[in-house]
Amino acid sequence: MLFLCIDQQALQLTVSLRDQQGEVLLDRQVSTRPDKNLQFFDQLTQHCRAQ
């Protein structure tokens, strides 16, 4: 199981993906611009499928 934490601010999202042991697998800041946001979450989906 993976855990996704998202902290939304006005101009950026802080995203942290962790495994069951709490190990950080991914830690990023992502723009809230829709195109950048969708691009990041598409890449994240691909990453999680590969796990």
Side-chain angles (χ1 to χ4, degrees):
M1 181 181 289
L2 299 174
F3 298 92
L4 180 65
C5 303
I6 302 172
D7 179 21
Q8 181 177 358
Q9 301 295 316
L11 300 176
Q12 68 185 18
L13 303 173
T14 301
V15 179
S16 179
L17 181 67
R18 297 173 184 257
D19 64 13
Q20 287 181 317
Q21 291 75 35
E23 297 289 325
V24 176
L25 303 175
L26 179 74
D27 194 23
R28 297 259 173 92
Q29 291 184 334
V30 183
S31 171
T32 55
R33 289 183 26 211
D35 58 328
K36 296 291 185 181
N37 196 298
L38 289 173
Q39 179 184 12
F40 170 75
F41 282 104
D42 285 342
Q43 291 173 352
L44 180 61
T45 300
Q46 297 286 333
H47 176 78
C48 289
R49 285 185 182 156
Q51 295 274 322

